[in-house]
PDB file of all heavy atoms in Angstrom:
ATOM      1  N   GLY U  16     116.504  84.752  93.585  1.00  0.00           N
ATOM      2  CA  GLY U  16     115.367  85.627  93.329  1.00  0.00           C
ATOM      3  C   GLY U  16     114.235  84.836  92.682  1.00  0.00           C
ATOM      4  O   GLY U  16     114.232  83.590  92.659  1.00  0.00           O
ATOM      5  N   LEU U  17     113.266  85.542  92.128  1.00  0.00           N
ATOM      6  CA  LEU U  17     112.070  84.878  91.578  1.00  0.00           C
ATOM      7  C   LEU U  17     112.418  83.906  90.467  1.00  0.00           C
ATOM      8  O   LEU U  17     111.969  82.756  90.469  1.00  0.00           O
ATOM      9  CB  LEU U  17     111.068  85.926  91.090  1.00  0.00           C
ATOM     10  CG  LEU U  17     109.794  85.399  90.456  1.00  0.00           C
ATOM     11  CD1 LEU U  17     109.022  84.512  91.415  1.00  0.00           C
ATOM     12  CD2 LEU U  17     108.924  86.562  89.965  1.00  0.00           C
ATOM     13  N   ALA U  18     113.219  84.330  89.490  1.00  0.00           N
ATOM     14  CA  ALA U  18     113.570  83.452  88.388  1.00  0.00           C
ATOM     15  C   ALA U  18     114.307  82.206  88.888  1.00  0.00           C
ATOM     16  O   ALA U  18     114.077  81.093  88.424  1.00  0.00           O
ATOM     17  CB  ALA U  18     114.419  84.189  87.367  1.00  0.00           C
ATOM     18  N   GLY U  19     115.197  82.392  89.863  1.00  0.00           N
ATOM     19  CA  GLY U  19     115.931  81.264  90.429  1.00  0.00           C
ATOM     20  C   GLY U  19     115.019  80.280  91.140  1.00  0.00           C
ATOM     21  O   GLY U  19     115.201  79.066  91.026  1.00  0.00           O
ATOM     22  N   VAL U  21     111.765  79.830  90.608  1.00  0.00           N
ATOM     23  CA  VAL U  21     110.916  79.152  89.630  1.00  0.00           C
ATOM     24  C   VAL U  21     111.700  78.025  88.943  1.00  0.00           C
ATOM     25  O   VAL U  21     111.230  76.893  88.828  1.00  0.00           O
ATOM     26  CB  VAL U  21     110.396  80.149  88.576  1.00  0.00           C
ATOM     27  CG1 VAL U  21     109.638  79.428  87.469  1.00  0.00           C
ATOM     28  CG2 VAL U  21     109.471  81.179  89.247  1.00  0.00           C
ATOM     29  N   ALA U  22     112.917  78.352  88.509  1.00  0.00           N
ATOM     30  CA  ALA U  22     113.732  77.357  87.811  1.00  0.00           C
ATOM     31  C   ALA U  22     114.073  76.191  88.729  1.00  0.00           C
ATOM     32  O   ALA U  22     114.005  75.017  88.318  1.00  0.00           O
ATOM     33  CB  ALA U  22     114.992  78.006  87.277  1.00  0.00           C
ATOM     34  N   ALA U  48     111.863  90.654  93.909  1.00  0.00           N
ATOM     35  CA  ALA U  48     110.412  90.441  93.752  1.00  0.00           C
ATOM     36  C   ALA U  48     109.666  90.671  95.061  1.00  0.00           C
ATOM     37  O   ALA U  48     108.504  91.077  95.033  1.00  0.00           O
ATOM     38  CB  ALA U  48     110.170  89.004  93.256  1.00  0.00           C
ATOM     39  N   TYR U 100     106.566  85.102  75.008  1.00  0.00           N
ATOM     40  CA  TYR U 100     105.975  85.592  76.246  1.00  0.00           C
ATOM     41  C   TYR U 100     104.553  86.122  76.034  1.00  0.00           C
ATOM     42  O   TYR U 100     103.663  85.890  76.860  1.00  0.00           O
ATOM     43  CB  TYR U 100     106.840  86.709  76.836  1.00  0.00           C
ATOM     44  CG  TYR U 100     106.219  87.297  78.085  1.00  0.00           C
ATOM     45  CD1 TYR U 100     106.197  86.579  79.283  1.00  0.00           C
ATOM     46  CD2 TYR U 100     105.594  88.537  78.052  1.00  0.00           C
ATOM     47  CE1 TYR U 100     105.584  87.083  80.418  1.00  0.00           C
ATOM     48  CE2 TYR U 100     104.979  89.062  79.179  1.00  0.00           C
ATOM     49  CZ  TYR U 100     104.987  88.332  80.347  1.00  0.00           C
ATOM     50  OH  TYR U 100     104.362  88.830  81.471  1.00  0.00           O
ATOM     51  N   TRP U 111      98.190  78.722  85.031  1.00  0.00           N
ATOM     52  CA  TRP U 111      99.341  78.084  85.700  1.00  0.00           C
ATOM     53  C   TRP U 111      99.548  78.689  87.090  1.00  0.00           C
ATOM     54  O   TRP U 111      99.752  77.971  88.072  1.00  0.00           O
ATOM     55  CB  TRP U 111     100.593  78.275  84.825  1.00  0.00           C
ATOM     56  CG  TRP U 111     101.877  77.777  85.388  1.00  0.00           C
ATOM     57  CD1 TRP U 111     102.173  76.497  85.753  1.00  0.00           C
ATOM     58  CD2 TRP U 111     103.059  78.534  85.650  1.00  0.00           C
ATOM     59  NE1 TRP U 111     103.467  76.407  86.216  1.00  0.00           N
ATOM     60  CE2 TRP U 111     104.032  77.657  86.167  1.00  0.00           C
ATOM     61  CE3 TRP U 111     103.384  79.882  85.498  1.00  0.00           C
ATOM     62  CZ2 TRP U 111     105.301  78.071  86.516  1.00  0.00           C
ATOM     63  CZ3 TRP U 111     104.658  80.307  85.838  1.00  0.00           C
ATOM     64  CH2 TRP U 111     105.605  79.424  86.347  1.00  0.00           C
ATOM     65  N   THR U 225     120.789  83.381  87.518  1.00  0.00           N
ATOM     66  CA  THR U 225     119.580  84.157  87.755  1.00  0.00           C
ATOM     67  C   THR U 225     119.931  85.257  88.756  1.00  0.00           C
ATOM     68  O   THR U 225     119.193  85.493  89.731  1.00  0.00           O
ATOM     69  CB  THR U 225     118.432  83.268  88.290  1.00  0.00           C
ATOM     70  OG1 THR U 225     118.872  82.615  89.495  1.00  0.00           O
ATOM     71  CG2 THR U 225     118.017  82.237  87.267  1.00  0.00           C
ATOM     72  N   GLY U 227     120.225  88.596  88.533  1.00  0.00           N
ATOM     73  CA  GLY U 227     119.647  89.934  88.521  1.00  0.00           C
ATOM     74  C   GLY U 227     120.394  90.933  87.670  1.00  0.00           C
ATOM     75  O   GLY U 227     121.318  90.599  86.919  1.00  0.00           O
ATOM     76  N   LYS U 487     115.570  98.874  86.528  1.00  0.00           N
ATOM     77  CA  LYS U 487     115.743  97.616  85.799  1.00  0.00           C
ATOM     78  C   LYS U 487     116.722  97.725  84.653  1.00  0.00           C
ATOM     79  O   LYS U 487     116.881  98.762  84.037  1.00  0.00           O
ATOM     80  CB  LYS U 487     114.396  97.151  85.224  1.00  0.00           C
ATOM     81  CG  LYS U 487     113.336  96.843  86.268  1.00  0.00           C
ATOM     82  CD  LYS U 487     113.699  95.676  87.154  1.00  0.00           C
ATOM     83  CE  LYS U 487     112.600  95.347  88.124  1.00  0.00           C
ATOM     84  NZ  LYS U 487     112.973  94.278  89.071  1.00  0.00           N
ATOM     85  N   ALA U 514     118.437  83.225  83.121  1.00  0.00           N
ATOM     86  CA  ALA U 514     117.016  83.589  83.157  1.00  0.00           C
ATOM     87  C   ALA U 514     116.828  84.808  84.047  1.00  0.00           C
ATOM     88  O   ALA U 514     117.683  85.112  84.887  1.00  0.00           O
ATOM     89  CB  ALA U 514     116.167  82.407  83.656  1.00  0.00           C
ATOM     90  N   GLY U 515     115.710  85.485  83.873  1.00  0.00           N
ATOM     91  CA  GLY U 515     115.413  86.669  84.670  1.00  0.00           C
ATOM     92  C   GLY U 515     116.128  87.879  84.162  1.00  0.00           C
ATOM     93  O   GLY U 515     116.515  87.969  82.996  1.00  0.00           O
ATOM     94  N   GLU U 516     116.356  88.833  85.065  1.00  0.00           N
ATOM     95  CA  GLU U 516     116.907  90.124  84.666  1.00  0.00           C
ATOM     96  C   GLU U 516     118.316  90.035  84.130  1.00  0.00           C
ATOM     97  O   GLU U 516     118.709  90.830  83.282  1.00  0.00           O
ATOM     98  CB  GLU U 516     116.843  91.106  85.840  1.00  0.00           C
ATOM     99  CG  GLU U 516     117.151  92.542  85.445  1.00  0.00           C
ATOM    100  CD  GLU U 516     116.927  93.527  86.570  1.00  0.00           C
ATOM    101  OE1 GLU U 516     116.460  93.108  87.658  1.00  0.00           O
ATOM    102  OE2 GLU U 516     117.230  94.725  86.378  1.00  0.00           O
ATOM    103  N   VAL U 517     119.106  89.070  84.601  1.00  0.00           N
ATOM    104  CA  VAL U 517     120.468  88.929  84.096  1.00  0.00           C
ATOM    105  C   VAL U 517     120.463  88.643  82.584  1.00  0.00           C
ATOM    106  O   VAL U 517     121.442  88.945  81.883  1.00  0.00           O
ATOM    107  CB  VAL U 517     121.222  87.819  84.866  1.00  0.00           C
ATOM    108  CG1 VAL U 517     120.727  86.444  84.486  1.00  0.00           C
ATOM    109  CG2 VAL U 517     122.720  87.921  84.660  1.00  0.00           C
ATOM    110  N   PHE U 520     115.413  89.536  81.003  1.00  0.00           N
ATOM    111  CA  PHE U 520     114.093  88.912  81.159  1.00  0.00           C
ATOM    112  C   PHE U 520     113.760  87.959  80.023  1.00  0.00           C
ATOM    113  O   PHE U 520     112.652  87.445  79.944  1.00  0.00           O
ATOM    114  CB  PHE U 520     112.997  89.975  81.317  1.00  0.00           C
ATOM    115  CG  PHE U 520     113.246  90.870  82.490  1.00  0.00           C
ATOM    116  CD1 PHE U 520     113.915  92.086  82.312  1.00  0.00           C
ATOM    117  CD2 PHE U 520     112.860  90.505  83.751  1.00  0.00           C
ATOM    118  CE1 PHE U 520     114.164  92.924  83.402  1.00  0.00           C
ATOM    119  CE2 PHE U 520     113.143  91.322  84.838  1.00  0.00           C
ATOM    120  CZ  PHE U 520     113.765  92.520  84.666  1.00  0.00           C
ATOM    121  N   GLY U 521     114.731  87.683  79.174  1.00  0.00           N
ATOM    122  CA  GLY U 521     114.545  86.730  78.083  1.00  0.00           C
ATOM    123  C   GLY U 521     115.270  87.171  76.833  1.00  0.00           C
ATOM    124  O   GLY U 521     115.027  88.250  76.308  1.00  0.00           O
ATOM    125  N   TYR U 525     114.027  91.257  76.061  1.00  0.00           N
ATOM    126  CA  TYR U 525     112.783  91.078  75.310  1.00  0.00           C
ATOM    127  C   TYR U 525     111.869  92.282  75.338  1.00  0.00           C
ATOM    128  O   TYR U 525     110.894  92.346  74.608  1.00  0.00           O
ATOM    129  CB  TYR U 525     112.084  89.801  75.713  1.00  0.00           C
ATOM    130  CG  TYR U 525     111.149  89.802  76.904  1.00  0.00           C
ATOM    131  CD1 TYR U 525     110.113  88.881  76.988  1.00  0.00           C
ATOM    132  CD2 TYR U 525     111.300  90.678  77.977  1.00  0.00           C
ATOM    133  CE1 TYR U 525     109.241  88.850  78.051  1.00  0.00           C
ATOM    134  CE2 TYR U 525     110.439  90.649  79.067  1.00  0.00           C
ATOM    135  CZ  TYR U 525     109.398  89.733  79.086  1.00  0.00           C
ATOM    136  OH  TYR U 525     108.542  89.692  80.168  1.00  0.00           O
ATOM    137  N   THR U 534     105.639  93.136  83.244  1.00  0.00           N
ATOM    138  CA  THR U 534     106.409  92.215  82.408  1.00  0.00           C
ATOM    139  C   THR U 534     107.800  91.914  82.976  1.00  0.00           C
ATOM    140  O   THR U 534     108.557  91.167  82.370  1.00  0.00           O
ATOM    141  CB  THR U 534     106.584  92.824  81.013  1.00  0.00           C
ATOM    142  OG1 THR U 534     107.165  94.128  81.140  1.00  0.00           O
ATOM    143  CG2 THR U 534     105.229  92.968  80.327  1.00  0.00           C
ATOM    144  N   PHE U 535     108.104  92.492  84.137  1.00  0.00           N
ATOM    145  CA  PHE U 535     109.383  92.186  84.784  1.00  0.00           C
ATOM    146  C   PHE U 535     109.240  90.913  85.628  1.00  0.00           C
ATOM    147  O   PHE U 535     109.968  89.942  85.420  1.00  0.00           O
ATOM    148  CB  PHE U 535     109.839  93.356  85.660  1.00  0.00           C
ATOM    149  CG  PHE U 535     110.052  94.630  84.875  1.00  0.00           C
ATOM    150  CD1 PHE U 535     109.337  95.778  85.176  1.00  0.00           C
ATOM    151  CD2 PHE U 535     110.975  94.678  83.845  1.00  0.00           C
ATOM    152  CE1 PHE U 535     109.534  96.954  84.468  1.00  0.00           C
ATOM    153  CE2 PHE U 535     111.186  95.846  83.123  1.00  0.00           C
ATOM    154  CZ  PHE U 535     110.454  96.978  83.438  1.00  0.00           C
ATOM    155  N   LEU U 536     108.281  90.910  86.541  1.00  0.00           N
ATOM    156  CA  LEU U 536     108.002  89.672  87.271  1.00  0.00           C
ATOM    157  C   LEU U 536     107.579  88.573  86.287  1.00  0.00           C
ATOM    158  O   LEU U 536     108.000  87.424  86.410  1.00  0.00           O
ATOM    159  CB  LEU U 536     106.885  89.893  88.288  1.00  0.00           C
ATOM    160  CG  LEU U 536     107.174  90.849  89.444  1.00  0.00           C
ATOM    161  CD1 LEU U 536     105.932  91.009  90.320  1.00  0.00           C
ATOM    162  CD2 LEU U 536     108.334  90.351  90.297  1.00  0.00           C
ATOM    163  N   GLY U 537     106.779  88.967  85.297  1.00  0.00           N
ATOM    164  CA  GLY U 537     106.327  87.984  84.310  1.00  0.00           C
ATOM    165  C   GLY U 537     107.488  87.390  83.541  1.00  0.00           C
ATOM    166  O   GLY U 537     107.482  86.186  83.237  1.00  0.00           O
ATOM    167  N   GLY U 538     108.474  88.220  83.186  1.00  0.00           N
ATOM    168  CA  GLY U 538     109.651  87.725  82.486  1.00  0.00           C
ATOM    169  C   GLY U 538     110.452  86.782  83.326  1.00  0.00           C
ATOM    170  O   GLY U 538     111.020  85.799  82.823  1.00  0.00           O
ATOM    171  N   CYS U 539     110.544  87.060  84.620  1.00  0.00           N
ATOM    172  CA  CYS U 539     111.259  86.147  85.541  1.00  0.00           C
ATOM    173  C   CYS U 539     110.535  84.816  85.641  1.00  0.00           C
ATOM    174  O   CYS U 539     111.152  83.752  85.631  1.00  0.00           O
ATOM    175  CB  CYS U 539     111.397  86.784  86.928  1.00  0.00           C
ATOM    176  SG  CYS U 539     112.530  88.180  86.979  1.00  0.00           S
ATOM    177  N   LEU U 540     109.207  84.871  85.773  1.00  0.00           N
ATOM    178  CA  LEU U 540     108.413  83.646  85.862  1.00  0.00           C
ATOM    179  C   LEU U 540     108.593  82.805  84.598  1.00  0.00           C
ATOM    180  O   LEU U 540     108.853  81.598  84.655  1.00  0.00           O
ATOM    181  CB  LEU U 540     106.944  83.995  86.041  1.00  0.00           C
ATOM    182  CG  LEU U 540     106.526  84.635  87.366  1.00  0.00           C
ATOM    183  CD1 LEU U 540     105.123  85.213  87.251  1.00  0.00           C
ATOM    184  CD2 LEU U 540     106.581  83.600  88.497  1.00  0.00           C
ATOM    185  N   PHE U 541     108.451  83.451  83.446  1.00  0.00           N
ATOM    186  CA  PHE U 541     108.473  82.730  82.175  1.00  0.00           C
ATOM    187  C   PHE U 541     109.874  82.204  81.843  1.00  0.00           C
ATOM    188  O   PHE U 541     110.042  81.034  81.543  1.00  0.00           O
ATOM    189  CB  PHE U 541     107.965  83.617  81.058  1.00  0.00           C
ATOM    190  CG  PHE U 541     107.861  82.948  79.721  1.00  0.00           C
ATOM    191  CD1 PHE U 541     107.114  81.795  79.556  1.00  0.00           C
ATOM    192  CD2 PHE U 541     108.513  83.470  78.617  1.00  0.00           C
ATOM    193  CE1 PHE U 541     107.008  81.175  78.311  1.00  0.00           C
ATOM    194  CE2 PHE U 541     108.428  82.847  77.379  1.00  0.00           C
ATOM    195  CZ  PHE U 541     107.667  81.702  77.220  1.00  0.00           C
ATOM    196  N   SER U 542     110.870  83.078  81.924  1.00  0.00           N
ATOM    197  CA  SER U 542     112.233  82.630  81.544  1.00  0.00           C
ATOM    198  C   SER U 542     112.767  81.634  82.551  1.00  0.00           C
ATOM    199  O   SER U 542     113.478  80.678  82.178  1.00  0.00           O
ATOM    200  CB  SER U 542     113.157  83.833  81.414  1.00  0.00           C
ATOM    201  OG  SER U 542     113.314  84.501  82.638  1.00  0.00           O
ATOM    202  N   GLY U 543     112.429  81.790  83.840  1.00  0.00           N
ATOM    203  CA  GLY U 543     112.860  80.810  84.837  1.00  0.00           C
ATOM    204  C   GLY U 543     112.235  79.449  84.565  1.00  0.00           C
ATOM    205  O   GLY U 543     112.902  78.406  84.665  1.00  0.00           O
ATOM    206  N   ARG U 544     110.943  79.441  84.258  1.00  0.00           N
ATOM    207  CA  ARG U 544     110.259  78.182  83.967  1.00  0.00           C
ATOM    208  C   ARG U 544     110.838  77.521  82.730  1.00  0.00           C
ATOM    209  O   ARG U 544     111.124  76.299  82.717  1.00  0.00           O
ATOM    210  CB  ARG U 544     108.753  78.449  83.773  1.00  0.00           C
ATOM    211  CG  ARG U 544     107.947  77.163  83.721  1.00  0.00           C
ATOM    212  CD  ARG U 544     106.481  77.443  83.432  1.00  0.00           C
ATOM    213  NE  ARG U 544     106.233  77.673  81.998  1.00  0.00           N
ATOM    214  CZ  ARG U 544     105.068  77.418  81.392  1.00  0.00           C
ATOM    215  NH1 ARG U 544     104.051  76.938  82.089  1.00  0.00           N
ATOM    216  NH2 ARG U 544     104.906  77.661  80.092  1.00  0.00           N
ATOM    217  N   GLU U 545     111.025  78.312  81.658  1.00  0.00           N
ATOM    218  CA  GLU U 545     111.515  77.740  80.410  1.00  0.00           C
ATOM    219  C   GLU U 545     112.922  77.192  80.559  1.00  0.00           C
ATOM    220  O   GLU U 545     113.244  76.109  80.057  1.00  0.00           O
ATOM    221  CB  GLU U 545     111.466  78.794  79.306  1.00  0.00           C
ATOM    222  CG  GLU U 545     110.038  79.249  78.964  1.00  0.00           C
ATOM    223  CD  GLU U 545     109.132  78.102  78.592  1.00  0.00           C
ATOM    224  OE1 GLU U 545     109.347  77.494  77.519  1.00  0.00           O
ATOM    225  OE2 GLU U 545     108.201  77.805  79.388  1.00  0.00           O
TER     226      GLU U 545
END
Side-chain angles (χ1 to χ4, degrees):
L17 178 58
V21 173
Y100 176 73
W111 176 61
T225 57
K487 298 294 183 185
E516 191 173 356
V517 73
F520 302 94
Y525 86 153
T534 55
F535 299 121
L536 295 177
C539 290
L540 292 166
F541 183 57
S542 63
R544 190 184 80 152
E545 295 305 291

